[in-house]
Amino acid sequence: MPFNLLKYGLSSEYPVEVDLPAPKELKSSYDVVIIGGGGHGLATAYYLAKYHGITNIAVLEKSYLGGGNTARNTAVIRSNYLTSEGVKFYAESVRMFEGLSNEFDFNIMYSHRGQLTLAHTDATVRSFRQRAEVNKHFGGRTEMIDRQQIRELVPSLNLDPGHLPVLAGLWHMDGATARHDAVAWGYAKQAAKRGVEIHQLTEVQELVIENGAITAVKTNRGTIKCGCAVQAIAGLSSQMMAKAGIRSPIQTFPLQAMVTQPFKPFLDPLVSSSALHCYVQQTSRGEVVFGGGSDPYPLFNTRSTLDLKESLLAHAIEMFPFLANAKLMRQWAGITDMTPDYSPIMGLSPVKNYYLDAGWGTWGFKATPICGKTMAELVASGGKVPDLITPFSLARFSTFKQVNEMGATAASH
Ligand SMILES: Cc1cc2nc3c(=O)[nH]c(=O)nc-3n(C[C@H](O)[C@H](O)[C@H](O)COP(=O)(O)OP(=O)(O)OC[C@H]3O[C@@H](n4cnc5c(N)ncnc54)[C@H](O)[C@@H]3O)c2cc1C
């Protein structure tokens, strides 16, 4: 809990705090240019300033802060992945999330819920056993639970939906949510306080590469020289990589979600089922959020579809039949940069001093703190890749060292 909340909760006077300082003139040159003002770009800027004393940084955002996938996601935070590389990485991120409100002195509304993933087939039960063991080994709190335990945990859940009765569950005690735009704002405010410049409505349109190294970016507000640049633009990753002449394995798919009117609290844990392509959670305001898998075809578009609404809601109602009478308030989409192995791409690129933070698909919100911290280490060291992100290099796709997280990502994010 941020101490300021307590302090001002007990006082009749509230501080008037400016969210972000007024933007300065865009300079002609920076040590570091960060392309993309989502959670990842802002976190990288913050940790560069905080831990490495590098503040001659410009974060360039073509629209408004956090207006990309950061504020479109369903805010699931968890570390119950399948591979040792994945579990170690995400477990560290969950740990960092727990302390962010205090670190920022700004409430990111971190809400510790636990996450329950349902198994409807024997094959899923087997893969959950493996996930539970890998998780425990690398410090996550995850265990298998049976139908009775599921019933006690989520009394309103229908354990016999249609043709797919629930056999068992993977109970991940570390599962949580946080307010996603508060995460972006927390990083932005703290980075700006340390001297980082954040320029909204500033789009990077071209990259200037000389002798194999990035030297400048061309924007709608002119050319800006840079010592190095970090690309953190989520769904548009492959397009910017193409501008840098980098071949990418990424395909972009829309991902949709929706939210109902508020209800009295009935659901504490996050509940997901990959067989039903659906996850359900109740927000602290009482609204019920539904999400599922990506749209079935690649597209750079954030429209919502009736197809997805019909299929997702049918499954959500199978899980929670009383929601049949719920009123839907909103449906929205983001565009997600999916990799073949459902793991991110972080680290070096074939262009010198041009660093990649990409391939975050449907799972990158939970990685915001640790990705920012490790990307900052990478940039500050001039290209020494931290151990934690070494397995997530772009090069893995040509050396056949993929980190396959498909089974642990589907419909759970
Ligand atoms: C519906 C949905 C649900 C999701 N649910 C979850 C979840 O529950 N848990 C989870 O962990 N993840 C989830 N995700 C994925 C997660 O949202 C993303 O992986 C994460 O937000 C990526 O953060 P980012 O900072 O890299 O990207 P973004 O927040 O998208 O930031 C990138 C920014 O770059 C800007 N930009 C793009 N091009 C340029 C340019 N040329 N110049 C300047 N700026 C540019 C964009 O405007 C944008 O603001 C979900 C995604 C969606 C769409």
Side-chain angles (χ1 to χ4, degrees), residues 309-358:
K309 190 182 305 187
E310 280 180 341
S311 60
L312 184 57
L313 292 182
H315 286 141
I317 292 167
E318 278 187 292
M319 289 163 83
F320 295 97
F322 83 93
L323 288 176
N325 293 324
K327 289 193 175 61
L328 209 58
M329 292 204 307
R330 286 188 304 282
Q331 180 182 1
W332 67 92
I335 48 172
T336 56
D337 50 345
M338 304 293 286
T339 55
D341 60 359
Y342 286 62
S343 281
I345 297 172
M346 282 175 285
L348 305 175
S349 80
V351 176
K352 196 160 180 263
N353 299 336
Y354 190 67
Y355 303 111
L356 296 174
D357 171 4

Tab-separated table of all heavy atoms in Angstrom, residues 309-358:
chain	number	residue	atom	x	y	z
A	309	LYS	N	-17.822	-12.081	-29.898
A	309	LYS	CA	-18.766	-11.862	-28.794
A	309	LYS	C	-19.617	-13.117	-28.588
A	309	LYS	O	-19.774	-13.606	-27.470
A	309	LYS	CB	-19.655	-10.651	-29.105
A	309	LYS	CG	-20.476	-10.216	-27.913
A	309	LYS	CD	-21.394	-9.058	-28.226
A	309	LYS	CE	-20.660	-7.897	-28.796
A	309	LYS	NZ	-21.441	-6.692	-28.972
A	310	GLU	N	-20.141	-13.655	-29.693
A	310	GLU	CA	-21.015	-14.832	-29.580
A	310	GLU	C	-20.275	-16.021	-28.982
A	310	GLU	O	-20.749	-16.675	-28.051
A	310	GLU	CB	-21.545	-15.214	-30.965
A	310	GLU	CG	-22.704	-14.357	-31.403
A	310	GLU	CD	-23.224	-14.747	-32.789
A	310	GLU	OE1	-22.488	-15.422	-33.548
A	310	GLU	OE2	-24.352	-14.374	-33.099
A	311	SER	N	-19.075	-16.328	-29.527
A	311	SER	CA	-18.401	-17.549	-29.082
A	311	SER	C	-17.865	-17.395	-27.661
A	311	SER	O	-17.996	-18.301	-26.832
A	311	SER	CB	-17.288	-17.937	-30.051
A	311	SER	OG	-16.345	-16.895	-30.108
A	312	LEU	N	-17.299	-16.227	-27.362
A	312	LEU	CA	-16.726	-16.048	-26.027
A	312	LEU	C	-17.816	-16.053	-24.946
A	312	LEU	O	-17.694	-16.718	-23.910
A	312	LEU	CB	-15.951	-14.722	-25.985
A	312	LEU	CG	-15.204	-14.406	-24.706
A	312	LEU	CD1	-14.210	-15.504	-24.363
A	312	LEU	CD2	-14.456	-13.085	-24.829
A	313	LEU	N	-18.911	-15.352	-25.230
A	313	LEU	CA	-19.963	-15.283	-24.207
A	313	LEU	C	-20.643	-16.634	-24.010
A	313	LEU	O	-21.033	-16.986	-22.894
A	313	LEU	CB	-20.981	-14.203	-24.561
A	313	LEU	CG	-20.427	-12.778	-24.478
A	313	LEU	CD1	-21.497	-11.760	-24.795
A	313	LEU	CD2	-19.842	-12.502	-23.090
A	314	ALA	N	-20.774	-17.404	-25.095
A	314	ALA	CA	-21.379	-18.734	-24.946
A	314	ALA	C	-20.571	-19.549	-23.943
A	314	ALA	O	-21.130	-20.207	-23.049
A	314	ALA	CB	-21.433	-19.437	-26.302
A	315	HIS	N	-19.248	-19.480	-24.059
A	315	HIS	CA	-18.410	-20.253	-23.142
A	315	HIS	C	-18.409	-19.666	-21.727
A	315	HIS	O	-18.405	-20.397	-20.736
A	315	HIS	CB	-16.989	-20.345	-23.696
A	315	HIS	CG	-16.894	-21.298	-24.850
A	315	HIS	ND1	-16.114	-21.063	-25.953
A	315	HIS	CD2	-17.515	-22.475	-25.073
A	315	HIS	CE1	-16.242	-22.070	-26.798
A	315	HIS	NE2	-17.095	-22.938	-26.286
A	316	ALA	N	-18.395	-18.346	-21.658
A	316	ALA	CA	-18.404	-17.712	-20.322
A	316	ALA	C	-19.683	-18.101	-19.574
A	316	ALA	O	-19.664	-18.361	-18.362
A	316	ALA	CB	-18.310	-16.198	-20.464
A	317	ILE	N	-20.799	-18.170	-20.306
A	317	ILE	CA	-22.076	-18.508	-19.658
A	317	ILE	C	-22.116	-19.989	-19.277
A	317	ILE	O	-22.720	-20.368	-18.275
A	317	ILE	CB	-23.253	-18.095	-20.573
A	317	ILE	CG1	-23.314	-16.570	-20.646
A	317	ILE	CG2	-24.586	-18.653	-20.068
A	317	ILE	CD1	-24.208	-16.020	-21.723
A	318	GLU	N	-21.409	-20.818	-20.062
A	318	GLU	CA	-21.308	-22.233	-19.642
A	318	GLU	C	-20.593	-22.315	-18.297
A	318	GLU	O	-20.931	-23.125	-17.437
A	318	GLU	CB	-20.523	-23.032	-20.678
A	318	GLU	CG	-21.349	-23.488	-21.866
A	318	GLU	CD	-20.545	-24.415	-22.757
A	318	GLU	OE1	-19.573	-23.932	-23.380
A	318	GLU	OE2	-20.869	-25.616	-22.811
A	319	MET	N	-19.572	-21.466	-18.125
A	319	MET	CA	-18.817	-21.507	-16.866
A	319	MET	C	-19.617	-20.883	-15.714
A	319	MET	O	-19.625	-21.393	-14.604
A	319	MET	CB	-17.483	-20.754	-17.023
A	319	MET	CG	-16.477	-21.484	-17.894
A	319	MET	SD	-15.135	-20.397	-18.461
A	319	MET	CE	-14.038	-20.398	-17.098
A	320	PHE	N	-20.263	-19.752	-15.989
A	320	PHE	CA	-21.030	-19.046	-14.953
A	320	PHE	C	-22.438	-18.783	-15.486
A	320	PHE	O	-22.728	-17.675	-15.980
A	320	PHE	CB	-20.333	-17.724	-14.588
A	320	PHE	CG	-18.999	-17.923	-13.940
A	320	PHE	CD1	-17.831	-17.858	-14.695
A	320	PHE	CD2	-18.894	-18.195	-12.585
A	320	PHE	CE1	-16.601	-18.064	-14.107
A	320	PHE	CE2	-17.657	-18.394	-11.989
A	320	PHE	CZ	-16.509	-18.331	-12.753
A	321	PRO	N	-23.342	-19.779	-15.385
A	321	PRO	CA	-24.657	-19.659	-16.038
A	321	PRO	C	-25.439	-18.411	-15.625
A	321	PRO	O	-26.163	-17.848	-16.437
A	321	PRO	CB	-25.380	-20.934	-15.615
A	321	PRO	CG	-24.284	-21.910	-15.318
A	321	PRO	CD	-23.140	-21.103	-14.788
A	322	PHE	N	-25.292	-17.939	-14.372
A	322	PHE	CA	-26.119	-16.797	-13.952
A	322	PHE	C	-25.753	-15.519	-14.715
A	322	PHE	O	-26.507	-14.558	-14.735
A	322	PHE	CB	-26.039	-16.583	-12.439
A	322	PHE	CG	-24.843	-15.797	-11.984
A	322	PHE	CD1	-24.929	-14.420	-11.823
A	322	PHE	CD2	-23.644	-16.423	-11.728
A	322	PHE	CE1	-23.837	-13.680	-11.414
A	322	PHE	CE2	-22.545	-15.695	-11.319
A	322	PHE	CZ	-22.636	-14.321	-11.159
A	323	LEU	N	-24.606	-15.531	-15.418
A	323	LEU	CA	-24.220	-14.332	-16.174
A	323	LEU	C	-25.026	-14.168	-17.465
A	323	LEU	O	-24.873	-13.180	-18.181
A	323	LEU	CB	-22.725	-14.372	-16.502
A	323	LEU	CG	-21.796	-14.138	-15.308
A	323	LEU	CD1	-20.346	-14.302	-15.709
A	323	LEU	CD2	-22.027	-12.737	-14.726
A	324	ALA	N	-25.901	-15.150	-17.744
A	324	ALA	CA	-26.721	-15.051	-18.966
A	324	ALA	C	-27.523	-13.753	-18.982
A	324	ALA	O	-27.841	-13.216	-20.037
A	324	ALA	CB	-27.656	-16.246	-19.062
A	325	ASN	N	-27.853	-13.228	-17.797
A	325	ASN	CA	-28.655	-11.993	-17.753
A	325	ASN	C	-27.823	-10.724	-17.645
A	325	ASN	O	-28.362	-9.630	-17.526
A	325	ASN	CB	-29.612	-12.051	-16.551
A	325	ASN	CG	-30.657	-13.128	-16.756
A	325	ASN	OD1	-31.106	-13.329	-17.883
A	325	ASN	ND2	-31.000	-13.848	-15.691
A	326	ALA	N	-26.498	-10.886	-17.669
A	326	ALA	CA	-25.640	-9.701	-17.499
A	326	ALA	C	-25.723	-8.788	-18.709
A	326	ALA	O	-25.949	-9.246	-19.831
A	326	ALA	CB	-24.197	-10.155	-17.296
A	327	LYS	N	-25.555	-7.495	-18.473
A	327	LYS	CA	-25.519	-6.545	-19.600
A	327	LYS	C	-24.058	-6.248	-19.916
A	327	LYS	O	-23.278	-5.914	-19.026
A	327	LYS	CB	-26.227	-5.258	-19.218
A	327	LYS	CG	-27.722	-5.410	-19.113
A	327	LYS	CD	-28.394	-4.039	-19.043
A	327	LYS	CE	-29.900	-4.158	-19.060
A	327	LYS	NZ	-30.425	-4.918	-17.907
A	328	LEU	N	-23.724	-6.351	-21.182
A	328	LEU	CA	-22.355	-6.057	-21.605
A	328	LEU	C	-22.211	-4.542	-21.763
A	328	LEU	O	-23.060	-3.902	-22.379
A	328	LEU	CB	-22.119	-6.750	-22.953
A	328	LEU	CG	-20.702	-7.177	-23.253
A	328	LEU	CD1	-20.178	-8.123	-22.197
A	328	LEU	CD2	-20.669	-7.843	-24.620
A	329	MET	N	-21.142	-3.986	-21.214
A	329	MET	CA	-20.965	-2.527	-21.322
A	329	MET	C	-20.021	-2.147	-22.458
A	329	MET	O	-20.236	-1.177	-23.165
A	329	MET	CB	-20.389	-1.967	-20.021
A	329	MET	CG	-21.346	-2.044	-18.869
A	329	MET	SD	-20.945	-0.818	-17.632
A	329	MET	CE	-19.231	-1.141	-17.305
A	330	ARG	N	-18.927	-2.896	-22.600
A	330	ARG	CA	-17.944	-2.523	-23.621
A	330	ARG	C	-17.265	-3.757	-24.188
A	330	ARG	O	-17.120	-4.774	-23.506
A	330	ARG	CB	-16.819	-1.659	-23.014
A	330	ARG	CG	-17.179	-0.249	-22.697
A	330	ARG	CD	-15.939	0.553	-22.301
A	330	ARG	NE	-15.196	-0.031	-21.190
A	330	ARG	CZ	-15.563	0.066	-19.924
A	330	ARG	NH1	-16.652	0.708	-19.593
A	330	ARG	NH2	-14.830	-0.486	-18.985
A	331	GLN	N	-16.821	-3.632	-25.423
A	331	GLN	CA	-15.992	-4.664	-26.063
A	331	GLN	C	-14.897	-3.899	-26.786
A	331	GLN	O	-15.152	-2.833	-27.357
A	331	GLN	CB	-16.846	-5.442	-27.056
A	331	GLN	CG	-16.110	-6.552	-27.781
A	331	GLN	CD	-17.000	-7.269	-28.795
A	331	GLN	OE1	-18.171	-6.924	-28.960
A	331	GLN	NE2	-16.455	-8.234	-29.490
A	332	TRP	N	-13.679	-4.396	-26.770
A	332	TRP	CA	-12.584	-3.653	-27.405
A	332	TRP	C	-11.518	-4.641	-27.880
A	332	TRP	O	-11.599	-5.841	-27.596
A	332	TRP	CB	-11.983	-2.644	-26.426
A	332	TRP	CG	-11.273	-3.281	-25.277
A	332	TRP	CD1	-9.942	-3.586	-25.202
A	332	TRP	CD2	-11.844	-3.716	-24.035
A	332	TRP	NE1	-9.651	-4.182	-23.990
A	332	TRP	CE2	-10.800	-4.267	-23.260
A	332	TRP	CE3	-13.138	-3.686	-23.504
A	332	TRP	CZ2	-10.999	-4.793	-21.983
A	332	TRP	CZ3	-13.338	-4.217	-22.234
A	332	TRP	CH2	-12.282	-4.757	-21.488
A	333	ALA	N	-10.518	-4.106	-28.581
A	333	ALA	CA	-9.450	-4.974	-29.081
A	333	ALA	C	-8.118	-4.245	-29.073
A	333	ALA	O	-8.067	-3.010	-29.072
A	333	ALA	CB	-9.761	-5.423	-30.506
A	334	GLY	N	-7.055	-5.023	-29.051
A	334	GLY	CA	-5.702	-4.497	-29.256
A	334	GLY	C	-5.065	-5.330	-30.349
A	334	GLY	O	-5.639	-6.345	-30.776
A	335	ILE	N	-3.899	-4.905	-30.841
A	335	ILE	CA	-3.224	-5.755	-31.831
A	335	ILE	C	-1.961	-6.322	-31.197
A	335	ILE	O	-1.180	-5.604	-30.578
A	335	ILE	CB	-2.918	-5.020	-33.155
A	335	ILE	CG1	-2.271	-3.665	-32.909
A	335	ILE	CG2	-4.186	-4.856	-33.975
A	335	ILE	CD1	-1.785	-3.004	-34.195
A	336	THR	N	-1.811	-7.626	-31.326
A	336	THR	CA	-0.785	-8.327	-30.557
A	336	THR	C	0.231	-8.993	-31.485
A	336	THR	O	-0.142	-9.617	-32.485
A	336	THR	CB	-1.446	-9.391	-29.657
A	336	THR	OG1	-2.224	-10.276	-30.459
A	336	THR	CG2	-2.371	-8.741	-28.637
A	337	ASP	N	1.498	-8.837	-31.133
A	337	ASP	CA	2.593	-9.345	-31.980
A	337	ASP	C	2.987	-10.754	-31.530
A	337	ASP	O	3.780	-10.924	-30.616
A	337	ASP	CB	3.786	-8.383	-31.977
A	337	ASP	CG	4.228	-7.960	-30.570
A	337	ASP	OD1	3.461	-8.164	-29.607
A	337	ASP	OD2	5.346	-7.439	-30.443
A	338	MET	N	2.412	-11.746	-32.190
A	338	MET	CA	2.570	-13.133	-31.748
A	338	MET	C	3.831	-13.764	-32.348
A	338	MET	O	4.095	-13.652	-33.539
A	338	MET	CB	1.361	-13.971	-32.173
A	338	MET	CG	0.026	-13.444	-31.686
A	338	MET	SD	-0.182	-13.521	-29.906
A	338	MET	CE	-0.437	-15.262	-29.666
A	339	THR	N	4.583	-14.456	-31.497
A	339	THR	CA	5.758	-15.212	-31.976
A	339	THR	C	5.371	-16.685	-32.107
A	339	THR	O	4.418	-17.138	-31.460
A	339	THR	CB	6.913	-15.098	-30.961
A	339	THR	OG1	6.426	-15.536	-29.694
A	339	THR	CG2	7.420	-13.671	-30.852
A	340	PRO	N	6.135	-17.458	-32.888
A	340	PRO	CA	5.773	-18.872	-33.062
A	340	PRO	C	5.822	-19.676	-31.772
A	340	PRO	O	5.096	-20.658	-31.638
A	340	PRO	CB	6.833	-19.384	-34.046
A	340	PRO	CG	7.352	-18.168	-34.733
A	340	PRO	CD	7.229	-17.047	-33.767
A	341	ASP	N	6.670	-19.292	-30.803
A	341	ASP	CA	6.749	-20.087	-29.568
A	341	ASP	C	6.038	-19.421	-28.382
A	341	ASP	O	6.177	-19.860	-27.243
A	341	ASP	CB	8.213	-20.396	-29.197
A	341	ASP	CG	9.046	-19.138	-28.963
A	341	ASP	OD1	8.506	-18.017	-29.102
A	341	ASP	OD2	10.243	-19.280	-28.648
A	342	TYR	N	5.307	-18.353	-28.634
A	342	TYR	CA	4.535	-17.672	-27.590
A	342	TYR	C	5.430	-17.128	-26.470
A	342	TYR	O	5.000	-17.019	-25.321
A	342	TYR	CB	3.448	-18.597	-27.002
A	342	TYR	CG	2.265	-18.804	-27.933
A	342	TYR	CD1	2.447	-19.404	-29.172
A	342	TYR	CD2	0.982	-18.409	-27.572
A	342	TYR	CE1	1.377	-19.585	-30.047
A	342	TYR	CE2	-0.098	-18.593	-28.443
A	342	TYR	CZ	0.118	-19.182	-29.666
A	342	TYR	OH	-0.937	-19.365	-30.519
A	343	SER	N	6.656	-16.817	-26.810
A	343	SER	CA	7.550	-16.129	-25.868
A	343	SER	C	7.994	-14.823	-26.507
A	343	SER	O	7.970	-14.687	-27.730
A	343	SER	CB	8.778	-17.006	-25.555
A	343	SER	OG	8.437	-17.993	-24.626
A	344	PRO	N	8.433	-13.865	-25.685
A	344	PRO	CA	8.797	-12.553	-26.230
A	344	PRO	C	10.160	-12.542	-26.916
A	344	PRO	O	10.914	-13.522	-26.846
A	344	PRO	CB	8.861	-11.695	-24.964
A	344	PRO	CG	9.225	-12.657	-23.883
A	344	PRO	CD	8.560	-13.940	-24.227
A	345	ILE	N	10.461	-11.432	-27.544
A	345	ILE	CA	11.790	-11.210	-28.129
A	345	ILE	C	12.391	-10.007	-27.414
A	345	ILE	O	11.853	-8.902	-27.483
A	345	ILE	CB	11.680	-10.913	-29.640
A	345	ILE	CG1	11.089	-12.121	-30.373
A	345	ILE	CG2	13.038	-10.518	-30.210
A	345	ILE	CD1	10.759	-11.854	-31.829
A	346	MET	N	13.493	-10.237	-26.718
A	346	MET	CA	14.152	-9.127	-26.010
A	346	MET	C	15.641	-9.218	-26.258
A	346	MET	O	16.210	-10.306	-26.226
A	346	MET	CB	13.929	-9.256	-24.497
A	346	MET	CG	12.583	-8.811	-24.019
A	346	MET	SD	12.386	-9.151	-22.259
A	346	MET	CE	12.123	-10.888	-22.293
A	347	GLY	N	16.262	-8.083	-26.477
A	347	GLY	CA	17.717	-8.109	-26.561
A	347	GLY	C	18.253	-7.430	-27.802
A	347	GLY	O	17.711	-6.444	-28.292
A	348	LEU	N	19.354	-8.011	-28.301
A	348	LEU	CA	20.081	-7.397	-29.417
A	348	LEU	C	19.336	-7.628	-30.717
A	348	LEU	O	18.525	-8.544	-30.842
A	348	LEU	CB	21.473	-8.042	-29.528
A	348	LEU	CG	22.330	-8.020	-28.263
A	348	LEU	CD1	23.625	-8.794	-28.494
A	348	LEU	CD2	22.617	-6.577	-27.845
A	349	SER	N	19.675	-6.784	-31.711
A	349	SER	CA	19.149	-6.993	-33.054
A	349	SER	C	20.341	-6.986	-34.003
A	349	SER	O	21.460	-6.647	-33.597
A	349	SER	CB	18.190	-5.856	-33.416
A	349	SER	OG	18.930	-4.724	-33.828
A	350	PRO	N	20.125	-7.318	-35.264
A	350	PRO	CA	21.259	-7.270	-36.206
A	350	PRO	C	21.788	-5.842	-36.415
A	350	PRO	O	22.864	-5.669	-36.962
A	350	PRO	CB	20.659	-7.824	-37.502
A	350	PRO	CG	19.450	-8.594	-37.086
A	350	PRO	CD	18.939	-7.931	-35.852
A	351	VAL	N	21.017	-4.835	-35.996
A	351	VAL	CA	21.477	-3.440	-36.137
A	351	VAL	C	22.135	-3.021	-34.830
A	351	VAL	O	21.533	-3.132	-33.758
A	351	VAL	CB	20.281	-2.506	-36.447
A	351	VAL	CG1	20.728	-1.049	-36.500
A	351	VAL	CG2	19.601	-2.920	-37.744
A	352	LYS	N	23.376	-2.544	-34.939
A	352	LYS	CA	24.130	-2.175	-33.727
A	352	LYS	C	23.398	-1.042	-32.968
A	352	LYS	O	22.892	-0.103	-33.582
A	352	LYS	CB	25.537	-1.713	-34.142
A	352	LYS	CG	26.503	-1.666	-33.039
A	352	LYS	CD	27.938	-1.678	-33.551
A	352	LYS	CE	28.874	-1.622	-32.362
A	352	LYS	NZ	29.336	-0.305	-32.061
A	353	ASN	N	23.361	-1.175	-31.652
A	353	ASN	CA	22.736	-0.175	-30.764
A	353	ASN	C	21.223	-0.031	-30.956
A	353	ASN	O	20.630	0.959	-30.513
A	353	ASN	CB	23.386	1.214	-30.914
A	353	ASN	CG	24.836	1.179	-30.542
A	353	ASN	OD1	25.250	0.307	-29.778
A	353	ASN	ND2	25.620	2.099	-31.073
A	354	TYR	N	20.618	-0.987	-31.643
A	354	TYR	CA	19.160	-0.980	-31.798
A	354	TYR	C	18.612	-2.204	-31.064
A	354	TYR	O	18.864	-3.343	-31.458
A	354	TYR	CB	18.778	-1.029	-33.285
A	354	TYR	CG	17.304	-0.773	-33.511
A	354	TYR	CD1	16.751	0.469	-33.254
A	354	TYR	CD2	16.454	-1.791	-33.964
A	354	TYR	CE1	15.389	0.710	-33.446
A	354	TYR	CE2	15.103	-1.558	-34.157
A	354	TYR	CZ	14.584	-0.303	-33.891
A	354	TYR	OH	13.238	-0.066	-34.075
A	355	TYR	N	17.919	-1.947	-29.951
A	355	TYR	CA	17.498	-3.036	-29.075
A	355	TYR	C	16.011	-3.339	-29.239
A	355	TYR	O	15.199	-2.433	-29.431
A	355	TYR	CB	17.796	-2.665	-27.621
A	355	TYR	CG	19.256	-2.358	-27.403
A	355	TYR	CD1	19.681	-1.056	-27.124
A	355	TYR	CD2	20.230	-3.358	-27.513
A	355	TYR	CE1	21.031	-0.768	-26.937
A	355	TYR	CE2	21.575	-3.077	-27.335
A	355	TYR	CZ	21.970	-1.778	-27.050
A	355	TYR	OH	23.300	-1.498	-26.877
A	356	LEU	N	15.699	-4.631	-29.124
A	356	LEU	CA	14.325	-5.072	-29.373
A	356	LEU	C	13.601	-5.440	-28.083
A	356	LEU	O	14.129	-6.176	-27.243
A	356	LEU	CB	14.324	-6.313	-30.269
A	356	LEU	CG	14.875	-6.130	-31.672
A	356	LEU	CD1	14.931	-7.485	-32.388
A	356	LEU	CD2	14.028	-5.138	-32.471
A	357	ASP	N	12.378	-4.938	-27.953
A	357	ASP	CA	11.464	-5.338	-26.881
A	357	ASP	C	10.153	-5.602	-27.627
A	357	ASP	O	9.370	-4.687	-27.875
A	357	ASP	CB	11.346	-4.177	-25.878
A	357	ASP	CG	10.256	-4.413	-24.850
A	357	ASP	OD1	9.647	-5.502	-24.860
A	357	ASP	OD2	9.999	-3.507	-24.048
A	358	ALA	N	9.955	-6.844	-28.030
A	358	ALA	CA	8.869	-7.132	-28.974
A	358	ALA	C	8.298	-8.528	-28.709
A	358	ALA	O	8.704	-9.214	-27.774
A	358	ALA	CB	9.416	-7.056	-30.401
